[in-house]
Amino acid sequence: MSPHKKNIITKFLIWKYKHLTSQQFIYIVSIIIGLLSGLAAVTLKNLTHLIQETLEAGVVQKYHDAFYFIFPIIGLALTLLMIKYVIKKKVSHGIPSTLHAISKKKGLMERYKMYSSILTAPITVGFGGSVGLEGPTVATSAAIGSNVARLFHLNRSTRTLLIGAAAAAAMSSIFKAPIAAIIFAIEIFSLDLTMVSLIPLLLSSISAILTSYFFLGDNALLRFELTDKFTLVDTVYYIFLGVSCGLISVYFSKVYFSISNFFAKFANPYKRLLIGGVGLGVIVYFIPPLFGEGFITINNLLNNNVSDVFDQNYFGIVTENSWWIIIFLLGLVAFKVVATSITFGAGGVGGVFAPTLFTGSVTGFVFALFFNTVNISSHQLSTGNFALVGMAGLMAGVLHAPLTAIFLIAEITGGHELFIPLMITSAIAYLITKKYIPFNIYAAELAKKGELMTHDKDMNVLMLMDIDKVIETNFISLHPEMKLGYVVKEAVAKSSRNNFPVVDEKNQYLGVLLLDDIRGVMFDQSLYETVTVQELMQNSKGIIDYEKNSMKEIMKKFQDSGAWNLPVVKNGVYKGFISKSRLLTAYRRKLIEVTN
């Protein structure tokens, strides 16, 4: 930052301290972040639509079917080149990278993340990548919130709050559903719902939705008008829909993780691009509704326009036969997950929110169509209502966000007529998925490393602790061949500690010599030249791996071993000791900091 800019910010901060309270300033910043997040959402959406409209114009329009195969490959290749030669830094999945920044980087996000998704996500999605724009929009907005907070020297807790406010603003702008957006920020980013946090979330959400209305008018991403009311007889069907959504959510998550692990085996990005690009191209060529985000298909199903979904389908399926429709739609459910996972694996940039909505709408529609076709009873199910509730079911299952699912769909419908079925389906889908998939797609990798922020305060405190700050290094190291006399004169006499790590010539940790181990012989000078460290040392009751063990695991090692000091190693190399007393002191200090 230039000296001139620093001077301006300094003057502003001085003015702020004189005229505004901290709370008032946060409110103002929340509104600004909402405005910027709304602009980011509008930019992402318009760039994507511009690319899609350009591709469908002129000569391409005439041979559009043939280009279904080649477009995704081109898009993934352009995305890779953009990352490598323009951004020149890694572009991670949006929401997981934001969660990681909150938990392990004190809410600090790199500046390039404010524009990296804007440059890459529209290319991926515009050229047919089977992912959504919601994740990149949230990530962009979160980076804006983080950097605005850093610009004004706000503390860690305020940075985290403004990241949540930015995420709420992004979702509010996309779906024009401000209440659901706030709940999304609370559920996904584990924010505490208090009056201190609620007002900034509200202000940013309102600011973003007004920005969206200003640039996009009242055009809604999901267009649905509720005409069929909920009836008591539908209750049983919604219970079974919840079970179906839960099972499909498990399928969605497992396929996603499996394909991600498959692509992770390839270190070469061009190899991933080739395999993934061809795979995605083949799928999209044979199943055109999987091209891009899929909101056109969602809106057609919500409004029962089945014929539009089947336009130009490769298999020549006609809409007069309900069973063929059911089979085709089940294929959409199965292959949408595969197409989404391949897009990510091949290097595409996007989110899983839209694919989740797509899969849920198709699931609900197929469910209702099946029971209407088999004629179990004279009662006909509303395909539109079930498609809508199915979206909530998949959101609750795949994203582990049942409240977001309920309120988002309720706001989209403009009323509360479907609140009961939404609650039934979302609760059942969430409980089933949670049993088999402990963490959602956003959080699974972080949870595996013990780096996930949750509503559990104790776990958050442990996770936020810095291992480097509790490692003690003022120990004198010994080698196995050293004599007792040397240990007494050069180690015991010169050290204030009772532990002496034993290492080899490469500083690899071998064991520990305790003062208690030599207390009985340390004054017997006849043993000084005959007894060695190797004869006196012992194995540690536990060893802490610097790179692999989380604070929760470190605390458990102390509990299981009963030790007061445990050695820390990195790739086998000795780094120091952690004492139980120092660990507990650091925990108490961090608990006070987090609570405040």
Side-chain angles (χ1 to χ4, degrees):
M1 187 182 295
S2 67
H4 179 65
K5 287 183 179 178
K6 283 184 178 179
N7 190 40
I8 293 173
I9 292 172
T10 301
K11 288 181 179 179
F12 173 78
L13 290 174
I14 293 171
W15 176 88
K16 188 256 298 186
Y17 287 130
K18 289 181 179 178
H19 297 88
L20 296 174
T21 66
S22 296
Q23 203 168 39
Q24 289 171 336
F25 182 66
I26 292 171
Y27 293 162
I28 293 171
V29 172
S30 299
I31 294 171
I32 295 171
I33 287 173
L35 171 64
L36 295 175
S37 299
L39 291 173
V42 170
T43 303
L44 271 161
K45 182 176 180 180
N46 285 343
L47 281 175
T48 305
H49 288 175
L50 177 63
I51 292 172
Q52 289 174 337
E53 289 171 6
T54 303
L55 295 179
E56 292 175 357
V59 178
V60 174
Q61 188 175 21
K62 186 176 180 181
Y63 303 101
H64 196 258
D65 287 352
F67 280 93
Y68 272 126
F69 173 76
I70 196 67
F71 279 156
I73 302 175
I74 295 173
L76 291 170
L78 290 175
T79 301
L80 178 60
L81 294 174
M82 180 68 74
I83 293 171
K84 188 170 183 179
Y85 295 105
V86 178
I87 300 171
K88 297 180 181 178
K89 292 179 181 177
K90 183 180 180 182
V91 180
S92 304
H93 292 324
I95 294 177
S97 68
T98 305
L99 290 170
H100 181 261
I102 292 172
S103 62
K104 301 306 291 183
K105 296 182 178 180
K106 301 180 180 179
L108 296 172
M109 299 181 70
E110 297 87 344
R111 289 185 179 89
Y112 79 90
K113 291 184 178 180
M114 292 190 287
Y115 60 83
S116 59
S117 292
I118 293 177
L119 296 178
T120 53
I123 297 174
T124 299
V125 179
F127 277 85
S130 199
V131 290
L133 293 173
E134 294 76 21
T137 306
V138 170
T140 301
S141 301
I144 292 171
S146 173
N147 282 280
V148 169
R150 181 160 58 177
L151 179 66
F152 294 121
H153 307 292
L154 300 176
N155 61 30
R156 176 180 187 156
S157 60
T158 306
R159 272 199 306 271
T160 302
L161 174 59
L162 292 179
I163 288 173
M171 295 300 290
S172 177
S173 178
I174 294 169
F175 291 104
K176 292 186 170 65
I179 303 302
I182 292 171
I183 295 171
F184 170 82
I186 292 168
E187 279 194 300
I188 299 299
F189 294 100
S190 298
L191 299 179
D192 289 327
L193 184 57
T194 63
M195 289 307 295
V196 174
S197 63
L198 183 59
I199 302 302
L201 292 172
L202 280 169
L203 291 173
S204 63
S205 189
I206 293 167
S207 176
I209 196 172
L210 290 176
T211 305
S212 180
Y213 272 113
F214 179 80
F215 286 100
L216 303 175
D218 58 358
N219 290 330
L221 193 60
L222 295 171
R223 297 180 296 277
F224 180 79
E225 188 174 335
L226 189 66
T227 55
D228 301 317
K229 293 185 177 182
F230 166 72
T231 59
L232 189 61
V233 71
D234 289 332
T235 303
V236 175
Y237 293 103
Y238 282 117
I239 291 173
F240 283 112
L241 176 63
V243 174
S244 301
C245 289
L247 295 175
I248 291 173
S249 295
V250 173
Y251 164 77
F252 191 116
S253 301
K254 286 189 176 293
V255 169
Y256 177 86
F257 292 135
S258 297
I259 294 179
S260 296
N261 291 336
F262 169 76
F263 278 98
K265 297 175 183 177
F266 301 101
N268 189 327
Y270 295 103
K271 199 171 208 178
R272 292 199 299 267
L273 170 63
L274 181 62
I275 296 172
V278 171
L280 180 62
V282 170
I283 292 174
V284 170
Y285 177 78
F286 286 107
I287 314 176
L290 301 184
F291 188 91
E293 291 182 280
F295 280 109
I296 294 175
T297 298
I298 293 173
N299 283 312
N300 282 328
L301 292 178
L302 291 178
N303 295 284
N304 204 28
N305 299 326
V306 186
S307 58
D308 291 342
V309 178
F310 290 85
D311 281 351
Q312 300 176 324
N313 76 81
Y314 182 86
F315 303 99
I317 296 173
V318 293
T319 53
E320 284 77 14
N321 190 317
S322 295
W323 289 111
W324 280 117
I325 293 173
I326 291 171
I327 292 171
F328 182 79
L329 292 179
L330 287 174
L332 291 186
V333 172
F335 283 99
K336 179 63 175 181
V337 184
V338 177
T340 297
S341 305
I342 289 176
T343 303
F344 284 125
V349 177
V352 297
F353 205 97
T356 301
L357 296 178
F358 180 97
T359 309
S361 65
V362 178
T363 299
F365 188 93
V366 168
F367 184 92
L369 182 61
F370 172 80
F371 281 102
N372 289 342
T373 302
V374 296
N375 287 321
I376 290 179
S377 68
S378 58
H379 177 67
Q380 291 289 293
L381 304 180
S382 169
T383 53
N385 284 7
F386 272 79
L388 206 62
V389 176
M391 291 162 65
L394 262 291
M395 264 193 288
V398 174
L399 306 181
H400 288 198
L403 292 177
T404 301
I406 293 166
F407 282 92
L408 178 62
I409 302 304
E411 282 192 275
I412 288 171
T413 60
H416 307 95
E417 292 286 344
L418 293 180
F419 244 120
I420 294 175
L422 286 170
M423 292 169 70
I424 292 171
T425 303
S426 297
I428 294 172
Y430 171 75
L431 291 172
I432 290 174
T433 311
K434 186 74 173 175
K435 179 177 175 60
Y436 298 100
I437 311 292
F439 300 98
N440 64 33
I441 285 172
Y442 299 139
E445 193 63 31
L446 293 173
K448 193 186 298 182
K449 298 176 182 176
E451 298 176 351
L452 178 64
M453 289 286 285
T454 68
H455 288 287
D456 186 333
K457 281 286 186 295
D458 289 333
M459 288 298 300
N460 290 345
V461 170
L462 286 172
M463 187 185 58
L464 293 172
M465 290 170 63
D466 187 350
I467 188 172
D468 289 316
K469 292 183 178 179
V470 293
I471 295 177
E472 299 175 79
T473 57
N474 60 334
F475 294 85
I476 296 177
S477 298
L478 303 174
H479 295 293
E481 67 277 4
M482 288 179 174
K483 306 294 185 183
L484 176 61
Y486 180 88
V487 172
V488 173
K489 295 173 184 176
E490 300 298 327
V492 176
K494 296 180 180 180
S495 175
S496 60
R497 312 305 298 256
N498 295 333
N499 292 11
F500 302 92
V502 182
V503 298
D504 63 14
E505 64 279 359
K506 294 182 179 179
N507 208 35
Q508 294 280 320
Y509 183 78
L510 302 175
V512 63
L513 178 68
L514 303 179
L515 187 58
D516 288 344
D517 296 331
I518 61 173
R519 200 180 299 277
V521 296
M522 63 187 293
F523 298 110
D524 188 348
Q525 296 186 11
S526 64
L527 301 176
Y528 277 13
E529 297 302 319
T530 57
V531 177
T532 63
V533 169
Q534 189 166 9
E535 297 174 67
L536 299 169
M537 62 183 278
Q538 60 176 271
N539 293 325
S540 295
K541 294 181 179 179
I543 296 178
I544 296 168
D545 191 306
Y546 180 85
E547 293 186 321
K548 294 181 180 179
N549 291 147
S550 65
M551 276 296 177
K552 179 184 176 183
E553 292 168 331
I554 292 172
M555 198 71 86
K556 190 172 188 308
K557 282 179 182 284
F558 275 104
Q559 180 182 336
D560 294 343
S561 65
W564 280 98
N565 295 278
L566 289 177
V568 181
V569 300
K570 183 177 181 180
N571 297 322
V573 176
Y574 164 76
K575 284 186 67 69
F577 275 83
I578 293 178
S579 68
K580 183 186 288 188
S581 59
R582 183 156 183 165
L583 185 64
L584 293 175
T585 300
Y587 174 83
R588 284 193 293 270
R589 287 174 180 167
K590 184 61 69 173
L591 178 62
I592 293 169
E593 179 187 327
V594 171
T595 304
N596 289 339

